[in-house]
Amino acid sequence: MAMIGNGVKYAQQLLEQGKLVAIPTETVYGLAANALNEDAVLSIFEVKNRPQFDPLIIHTDSIEKLQHFVTSFPEKALKLATAFMPGPLTLLLPKNNIIPDLVTSGLESVAVRIPKHPLALELLATLDFPLAAPSANPFGYISPTTAAHVQAQLGDKIAYILDGGECSVGIESTIVGFDDEQPVVYRLGGIAVEEIENIVGVVKTMAHSTSNPQAPGMLKSHYAPRKPLTINNLEELLKNYDSQKIGVLSFDKTIPEVPVANQRILSPTRNFSEAAKNLFAYLRQLDALDVAVIYAELLPNQNLGRAINDRLRRAAA
Ligand code: TXA
Ligand code: MG
């Protein structure tokens, strides 16, 4: 099992030795390594069982440092960075050669972000290299939002988990790239499209495409629990299964036909941020119940509801 603690200094030492450390961020926990050390980066792919064609996000603690890892910064990228960094925003920008090709899976852009979490920022400030960090889950499974989630799945493969408590946002960062300097959203996430549009005007969203070469990680099977999950046809489900064997994830209220113990409500007050924060932990809880199938209700398609629905659809695929 991994050690769990809040030793920033210890995490720093391990990372400087090329080892992996799970780190907290405001979105989800990351599996971090020195992004400039190819062997260390390689071990991220091995531990996660992640294909090397799926590139990694690099993390740093200031816009100034971030500029060392890219070769240009379109005006709208700078506006978004100023508005949302630190925060749940990842920008795809032209890669500087100091970033190994392994990090970007050979792509010419690199994904960069500044996490808004005090421990992560404290750690990043002590390092003289950026951290490559995908979500700290086995490839294809639900992302972790607590140190215990990381321990349960990767604990036997890593030395240390830096415990920063429960992630405050709870879903991954929004990924924005640029097509001819115009922003394109490639992954819906912790910053709503509406918030992005407030800063840079109307943006294109390509997050639902699965054959999108710019975001090879946007595979349909992402975010899946082990149990089958379905987002439609509750009536059909109730006909085909004993109601004791159905788990339910709903937005604001329980479903009368299913035992309450099998149900999780994302936000009784219909608050999107609260729903996002609870999403992955509740999916894990439902996955662990003695049910045969999970029914998830889609949220209104606005604000973080879009990002949550995107994950539910992928989990259902
Ligand atoms: O909130 C987050 O972004 C979390 C925390 C730990 O920072 N990280 C995260 O990483 O979600 P990961 O590896 O689970 O997802 C990163 C996504 C992948 O789908 C990957 O394909 C995409 O970002 N990506 C990374 N670099 C890219 C690049 N250069 N071009 C296009 N897509 C990229
Ligand atoms: Mg991930």
PDB file of all heavy atoms in Angstrom, residues 41-59:
ATOM      1  N   VAL A  41       8.087   9.609 -16.885  1.00  0.00           N
ATOM      2  CA  VAL A  41       6.828   9.734 -17.630  1.00  0.00           C
ATOM      3  C   VAL A  41       6.360   8.366 -18.119  1.00  0.00           C
ATOM      4  O   VAL A  41       5.175   8.030 -18.063  1.00  0.00           O
ATOM      5  CB  VAL A  41       6.979  10.719 -18.809  1.00  0.00           C
ATOM      6  CG1 VAL A  41       5.727  10.731 -19.673  1.00  0.00           C
ATOM      7  CG2 VAL A  41       7.270  12.128 -18.298  1.00  0.00           C
ATOM      8  N   LEU A  42       7.327   7.563 -18.551  1.00  0.00           N
ATOM      9  CA  LEU A  42       6.997   6.216 -19.027  1.00  0.00           C
ATOM     10  C   LEU A  42       6.308   5.408 -17.925  1.00  0.00           C
ATOM     11  O   LEU A  42       5.361   4.660 -18.186  1.00  0.00           O
ATOM     12  CB  LEU A  42       8.285   5.525 -19.486  1.00  0.00           C
ATOM     13  CG  LEU A  42       8.142   4.310 -20.393  1.00  0.00           C
ATOM     14  CD1 LEU A  42       7.359   4.663 -21.655  1.00  0.00           C
ATOM     15  CD2 LEU A  42       9.520   3.767 -20.773  1.00  0.00           C
ATOM     16  N   SER A  43       6.790   5.587 -16.692  1.00  0.00           N
ATOM     17  CA  SER A  43       6.184   4.788 -15.617  1.00  0.00           C
ATOM     18  C   SER A  43       4.747   5.223 -15.327  1.00  0.00           C
ATOM     19  O   SER A  43       3.951   4.426 -14.839  1.00  0.00           O
ATOM     20  CB  SER A  43       7.058   4.752 -14.356  1.00  0.00           C
ATOM     21  OG  SER A  43       7.360   6.048 -13.936  1.00  0.00           O
ATOM     22  N   ILE A  44       4.387   6.463 -15.662  1.00  0.00           N
ATOM     23  CA  ILE A  44       2.975   6.865 -15.522  1.00  0.00           C
ATOM     24  C   ILE A  44       2.105   5.976 -16.422  1.00  0.00           C
ATOM     25  O   ILE A  44       1.086   5.433 -15.999  1.00  0.00           O
ATOM     26  CB  ILE A  44       2.750   8.341 -15.940  1.00  0.00           C
ATOM     27  CG1 ILE A  44       3.429   9.305 -14.976  1.00  0.00           C
ATOM     28  CG2 ILE A  44       1.257   8.645 -16.018  1.00  0.00           C
ATOM     29  CD1 ILE A  44       3.259  10.775 -15.355  1.00  0.00           C
ATOM     30  N   PHE A  45       2.531   5.844 -17.682  1.00  0.00           N
ATOM     31  CA  PHE A  45       1.748   5.040 -18.633  1.00  0.00           C
ATOM     32  C   PHE A  45       1.635   3.593 -18.144  1.00  0.00           C
ATOM     33  O   PHE A  45       0.577   2.965 -18.251  1.00  0.00           O
ATOM     34  CB  PHE A  45       2.389   5.080 -20.027  1.00  0.00           C
ATOM     35  CG  PHE A  45       2.212   6.397 -20.734  1.00  0.00           C
ATOM     36  CD1 PHE A  45       3.205   7.359 -20.714  1.00  0.00           C
ATOM     37  CD2 PHE A  45       1.038   6.679 -21.421  1.00  0.00           C
ATOM     38  CE1 PHE A  45       3.047   8.575 -21.373  1.00  0.00           C
ATOM     39  CE2 PHE A  45       0.860   7.885 -22.082  1.00  0.00           C
ATOM     40  CZ  PHE A  45       1.869   8.845 -22.057  1.00  0.00           C
ATOM     41  N   GLU A  46       2.761   3.065 -17.579  1.00  0.00           N
ATOM     42  CA  GLU A  46       2.754   1.673 -17.126  1.00  0.00           C
ATOM     43  C   GLU A  46       1.807   1.473 -15.947  1.00  0.00           C
ATOM     44  O   GLU A  46       0.999   0.552 -15.945  1.00  0.00           O
ATOM     45  CB  GLU A  46       4.176   1.241 -16.731  1.00  0.00           C
ATOM     46  CG  GLU A  46       5.039   1.007 -17.959  1.00  0.00           C
ATOM     47  CD  GLU A  46       6.528   0.908 -17.630  1.00  0.00           C
ATOM     48  OE1 GLU A  46       6.878   0.935 -16.425  1.00  0.00           O
ATOM     49  OE2 GLU A  46       7.320   0.832 -18.572  1.00  0.00           O
ATOM     50  N   VAL A  47       1.927   2.364 -14.954  1.00  0.00           N
ATOM     51  CA  VAL A  47       1.126   2.202 -13.738  1.00  0.00           C
ATOM     52  C   VAL A  47      -0.371   2.335 -14.041  1.00  0.00           C
ATOM     53  O   VAL A  47      -1.209   1.633 -13.487  1.00  0.00           O
ATOM     54  CB  VAL A  47       1.575   3.225 -12.667  1.00  0.00           C
ATOM     55  CG1 VAL A  47       0.536   3.390 -11.578  1.00  0.00           C
ATOM     56  CG2 VAL A  47       2.909   2.804 -12.070  1.00  0.00           C
ATOM     57  N   LYS A  48      -0.724   3.237 -14.950  1.00  0.00           N
ATOM     58  CA  LYS A  48      -2.133   3.451 -15.295  1.00  0.00           C
ATOM     59  C   LYS A  48      -2.647   2.451 -16.319  1.00  0.00           C
ATOM     60  O   LYS A  48      -3.837   2.390 -16.584  1.00  0.00           O
ATOM     61  CB  LYS A  48      -2.308   4.853 -15.914  1.00  0.00           C
ATOM     62  CG  LYS A  48      -2.681   5.922 -14.942  1.00  0.00           C
ATOM     63  CD  LYS A  48      -3.053   7.192 -15.688  1.00  0.00           C
ATOM     64  CE  LYS A  48      -4.363   7.127 -16.434  1.00  0.00           C
ATOM     65  NZ  LYS A  48      -5.485   7.799 -15.812  1.00  0.00           N
ATOM     66  N   ASN A  49      -1.699   1.721 -16.924  1.00  0.00           N
ATOM     67  CA  ASN A  49      -2.057   0.841 -18.024  1.00  0.00           C
ATOM     68  C   ASN A  49      -2.679   1.661 -19.167  1.00  0.00           C
ATOM     69  O   ASN A  49      -3.709   1.308 -19.739  1.00  0.00           O
ATOM     70  CB  ASN A  49      -3.034  -0.221 -17.528  1.00  0.00           C
ATOM     71  CG  ASN A  49      -3.023  -1.446 -18.396  1.00  0.00           C
ATOM     72  OD1 ASN A  49      -2.206  -1.522 -19.330  1.00  0.00           O
ATOM     73  ND2 ASN A  49      -3.909  -2.377 -18.131  1.00  0.00           N
ATOM     74  N   ARG A  50      -2.024   2.774 -19.446  1.00  0.00           N
ATOM     75  CA  ARG A  50      -2.566   3.739 -20.403  1.00  0.00           C
ATOM     76  C   ARG A  50      -1.803   3.644 -21.712  1.00  0.00           C
ATOM     77  O   ARG A  50      -0.577   3.610 -21.714  1.00  0.00           O
ATOM     78  CB  ARG A  50      -2.413   5.131 -19.812  1.00  0.00           C
ATOM     79  CG  ARG A  50      -2.789   6.299 -20.727  1.00  0.00           C
ATOM     80  CD  ARG A  50      -2.761   7.551 -19.885  1.00  0.00           C
ATOM     81  NE  ARG A  50      -2.909   8.775 -20.608  1.00  0.00           N
ATOM     82  CZ  ARG A  50      -3.754   9.743 -20.219  1.00  0.00           C
ATOM     83  NH1 ARG A  50      -4.536   9.568 -19.165  1.00  0.00           N
ATOM     84  NH2 ARG A  50      -3.809  10.875 -20.866  1.00  0.00           N
ATOM     85  N   PRO A  51      -2.488   3.614 -22.837  1.00  0.00           N
ATOM     86  CA  PRO A  51      -1.781   3.554 -24.120  1.00  0.00           C
ATOM     87  C   PRO A  51      -0.979   4.833 -24.374  1.00  0.00           C
ATOM     88  O   PRO A  51      -1.418   5.923 -23.989  1.00  0.00           O
ATOM     89  CB  PRO A  51      -2.906   3.418 -25.156  1.00  0.00           C
ATOM     90  CG  PRO A  51      -4.147   3.856 -24.473  1.00  0.00           C
ATOM     91  CD  PRO A  51      -3.955   3.649 -23.006  1.00  0.00           C
ATOM     92  N   GLN A  52       0.177   4.685 -24.994  1.00  0.00           N
ATOM     93  CA  GLN A  52       1.047   5.858 -25.166  1.00  0.00           C
ATOM     94  C   GLN A  52       0.530   6.861 -26.192  1.00  0.00           C
ATOM     95  O   GLN A  52       1.084   7.939 -26.333  1.00  0.00           O
ATOM     96  CB  GLN A  52       2.463   5.416 -25.516  1.00  0.00           C
ATOM     97  CG  GLN A  52       3.206   4.889 -24.301  1.00  0.00           C
ATOM     98  CD  GLN A  52       4.613   4.451 -24.624  1.00  0.00           C
ATOM     99  OE1 GLN A  52       5.233   4.950 -25.550  1.00  0.00           O
ATOM    100  NE2 GLN A  52       5.114   3.491 -23.868  1.00  0.00           N
ATOM    101  N   PHE A  53      -0.549   6.509 -26.891  1.00  0.00           N
ATOM    102  CA  PHE A  53      -1.095   7.492 -27.842  1.00  0.00           C
ATOM    103  C   PHE A  53      -2.002   8.498 -27.138  1.00  0.00           C
ATOM    104  O   PHE A  53      -2.528   9.419 -27.762  1.00  0.00           O
ATOM    105  CB  PHE A  53      -1.837   6.813 -28.999  1.00  0.00           C
ATOM    106  CG  PHE A  53      -3.012   5.961 -28.601  1.00  0.00           C
ATOM    107  CD1 PHE A  53      -4.210   6.529 -28.177  1.00  0.00           C
ATOM    108  CD2 PHE A  53      -2.932   4.568 -28.668  1.00  0.00           C
ATOM    109  CE1 PHE A  53      -5.285   5.739 -27.817  1.00  0.00           C
ATOM    110  CE2 PHE A  53      -4.009   3.774 -28.304  1.00  0.00           C
ATOM    111  CZ  PHE A  53      -5.184   4.357 -27.879  1.00  0.00           C
ATOM    112  N   ASP A  54      -2.185   8.340 -25.845  1.00  0.00           N
ATOM    113  CA  ASP A  54      -3.053   9.257 -25.090  1.00  0.00           C
ATOM    114  C   ASP A  54      -2.190  10.236 -24.288  1.00  0.00           C
ATOM    115  O   ASP A  54      -1.642   9.885 -23.256  1.00  0.00           O
ATOM    116  CB  ASP A  54      -3.949   8.430 -24.160  1.00  0.00           C
ATOM    117  CG  ASP A  54      -5.089   9.248 -23.585  1.00  0.00           C
ATOM    118  OD1 ASP A  54      -5.241  10.425 -23.957  1.00  0.00           O
ATOM    119  OD2 ASP A  54      -5.841   8.700 -22.755  1.00  0.00           O
ATOM    120  N   PRO A  55      -2.050  11.476 -24.767  1.00  0.00           N
ATOM    121  CA  PRO A  55      -1.070  12.413 -24.179  1.00  0.00           C
ATOM    122  C   PRO A  55      -1.438  12.914 -22.783  1.00  0.00           C
ATOM    123  O   PRO A  55      -2.583  12.812 -22.356  1.00  0.00           O
ATOM    124  CB  PRO A  55      -1.073  13.580 -25.175  1.00  0.00           C
ATOM    125  CG  PRO A  55      -2.414  13.527 -25.827  1.00  0.00           C
ATOM    126  CD  PRO A  55      -2.799  12.081 -25.881  1.00  0.00           C
ATOM    127  N   LEU A  56      -0.439  13.472 -22.100  1.00  0.00           N
ATOM    128  CA  LEU A  56      -0.584  13.904 -20.709  1.00  0.00           C
ATOM    129  C   LEU A  56      -0.628  15.431 -20.599  1.00  0.00           C
ATOM    130  O   LEU A  56      -0.038  16.137 -21.415  1.00  0.00           O
ATOM    131  CB  LEU A  56       0.601  13.394 -19.887  1.00  0.00           C
ATOM    132  CG  LEU A  56       0.876  11.891 -19.954  1.00  0.00           C
ATOM    133  CD1 LEU A  56       2.138  11.559 -19.153  1.00  0.00           C
ATOM    134  CD2 LEU A  56      -0.313  11.096 -19.440  1.00  0.00           C
ATOM    135  N   ILE A  57      -1.275  15.898 -19.531  1.00  0.00           N
ATOM    136  CA  ILE A  57      -1.298  17.330 -19.224  1.00  0.00           C
ATOM    137  C   ILE A  57      -0.100  17.649 -18.333  1.00  0.00           C
ATOM    138  O   ILE A  57       0.214  16.891 -17.421  1.00  0.00           O
ATOM    139  CB  ILE A  57      -2.606  17.686 -18.470  1.00  0.00           C
ATOM    140  CG1 ILE A  57      -3.827  17.421 -19.358  1.00  0.00           C
ATOM    141  CG2 ILE A  57      -2.589  19.146 -18.005  1.00  0.00           C
ATOM    142  CD1 ILE A  57      -5.178  17.596 -18.651  1.00  0.00           C
ATOM    143  N   ILE A  58       0.579  18.766 -18.594  1.00  0.00           N
ATOM    144  CA  ILE A  58       1.623  19.179 -17.660  1.00  0.00           C
ATOM    145  C   ILE A  58       1.094  20.283 -16.744  1.00  0.00           C
ATOM    146  O   ILE A  58       0.273  21.116 -17.136  1.00  0.00           O
ATOM    147  CB  ILE A  58       2.941  19.590 -18.348  1.00  0.00           C
ATOM    148  CG1 ILE A  58       2.785  20.858 -19.171  1.00  0.00           C
ATOM    149  CG2 ILE A  58       3.486  18.452 -19.213  1.00  0.00           C
ATOM    150  CD1 ILE A  58       4.126  21.470 -19.527  1.00  0.00           C
ATOM    151  N   HIS A  59       1.593  20.250 -15.503  1.00  0.00           N
ATOM    152  CA  HIS A  59       1.112  21.146 -14.449  1.00  0.00           C
ATOM    153  C   HIS A  59       2.251  22.011 -13.940  1.00  0.00           C
ATOM    154  O   HIS A  59       3.359  21.516 -13.712  1.00  0.00           O
ATOM    155  CB  HIS A  59       0.561  20.326 -13.278  1.00  0.00           C
ATOM    156  CG  HIS A  59      -0.604  19.445 -13.642  1.00  0.00           C
ATOM    157  ND1 HIS A  59      -0.492  18.388 -14.515  1.00  0.00           N
ATOM    158  CD2 HIS A  59      -1.901  19.472 -13.255  1.00  0.00           C
ATOM    159  CE1 HIS A  59      -1.679  17.814 -14.653  1.00  0.00           C
ATOM    160  NE2 HIS A  59      -2.556  18.450 -13.893  1.00  0.00           N
TER     161      HIS A  59
END
